[in-house]
Amino acid sequence: MKFREIKLETGAGIILGKDEESNEELVKKFRGKVNVILHTAKPGSPFCVIEKENPASSEIRAGGVITARYSQDWRNNKSDIKVNVFTGKDVYKLKGMPTGTFGVKKSRTIIVKKEEILKLKE
C-alpha cells in the first residue's frame, strides 16, 4: 500500500503519503480540487488529504494531529507542531521542484499541541 489511509469517527477518509514519491502522487491527484490538504510548516511530513468536501473544523483538526504525528518535526522534537491547511486549488508545482515538493499560494496555520498527538492511538 503506497498510502496510509485512516477513517475518522465521522466517516471522513484521510489519505497520507508515506514518502516523497507517494506525496507527489497524492498531491498531483488532488491538485486543483477543493479538498483540504495538510502539511507541517517544516519539511518532512506526509501530505494529508481529507476525502470530503467542506470538512468540519473537527475533521481538519484531526487531520492536523495525524499529519503532525507522522512528521519528522514530531519525531525529532516531541513538541507542538505547526500544520498548514490549504486546498488543492492553492497548490502549484514549478519546473525543477524536487519530487514531493509543492508550492502553496495561500494557507492558514493551526498549532497541534503535544498533548493531542500523545492521545492519538496508533
Side-chain angles (χ1 to χ4, degrees), residues 8-24:
L8 298 178
E9 290 177 3
T10 62
I14 296 220
I15 306 172
L16 297 106
K18 289 185 170 183
D19 54 29
E20 57 192 23
E21 287 83 18
S22 60
N23 272 343
E24 181 83 18

Side-chain angles (χ1 to χ4, degrees), residues 46-94:
F47 277 94
C48 171
V49 175
I50 300 175
E51 285 192 294
K52 177 181 178 183
E53 287 188 25
N54 302 312
S57 60
S58 62
E59 293 169 324
I60 294 171
R61 186 97 201 148
V65 173
I66 293 165
T67 302
R69 163 61 184 87
Y70 289 104
S71 71
Q72 289 178 15
D73 193 10
W74 172 252
R75 183 190 70 207
N76 296 339
N77 300 310
K78 299 288 193 255
S79 61
D80 296 354
I81 307 289
K82 291 181 181 178
V83 177
N84 294 325
V85 181
F86 45 95
T87 69
K89 290 187 173 220
D90 294 315
V91 176
Y92 64 90
K93 180 92 174 181
L94 298 175

